[in-house]
Amino acid sequence: VEQKPEFPGGEAALMKYIKDHLKFPSLAREINASGTVVLKFVVSKTGNVEDIVVLRSPSAVLNPAAIEVFKNMPQWKPGKMNGRAVNVYFTIPIKFQLL
């Protein structure tokens, strides 16, 4: 794509959004599950986050929390190719760390 999709406020705002909205599952705490969940999703030509898929995960108990953050995400500014909005795939790691 010529112009990548953009989260409102840019990449720093995206990281802050994830940090503020990610909830560590209580079951994951109980079983000491932590690590990085890798998600793949589409930013559609309308700016919606769609087709969220877990590519890699250290524990299935972490997956719903990671997916939930992206399901509730605000609309992005869509990517463009030749001046037209297009669907764009993204892959992003979400780190769950016990403190």
Side-chain angles (χ1 to χ4, degrees):
V1 293
E2 294 170 344
Q3 183 179 344
K4 290 173 61 170
E6 185 178 325
F7 185 80
E11 193 171 330
L14 172 62
M15 295 305 137
K16 182 177 180 344
Y17 176 88
I18 292 169
K19 181 180 176 236
D20 291 348
H21 291 86
L22 187 65
K23 294 178 177 63
F24 204 104
S26 56
L27 178 58
R29 283 189 198 282
E30 291 172 23
I31 64 172
N32 290 324
S34 62
T36 303
V37 175
V38 179
L39 296 179
K40 179 174 128 178
F41 60 95
V42 173
V43 175
S44 74
K45 54 186 161 188
T46 60
N48 295 318
V49 174
E50 302 174 349
D51 302 330
I52 305 162
V53 177
V54 175
L55 296 180
R56 195 169 53 245
S57 177
S59 174
V61 299
L62 299 172
N63 299 350
I67 291 169
E68 191 66 25
V69 169
F70 282 81
K71 276 186 176 178
N72 296 319
M73 197 168 269
Q75 241 181 353
W76 290 46
K77 180 179 175 185
K80 292 191 176 182
M81 185 69 164
N82 297 324
R84 296 176 61 202
V86 293
N87 294 342
V88 180
Y89 281 97
F90 268 85
T91 301
I92 191 164
I94 307 296
K95 190 170 195 170
F96 288 87
Q97 187 174 359
L98 290 169
L99 300 176

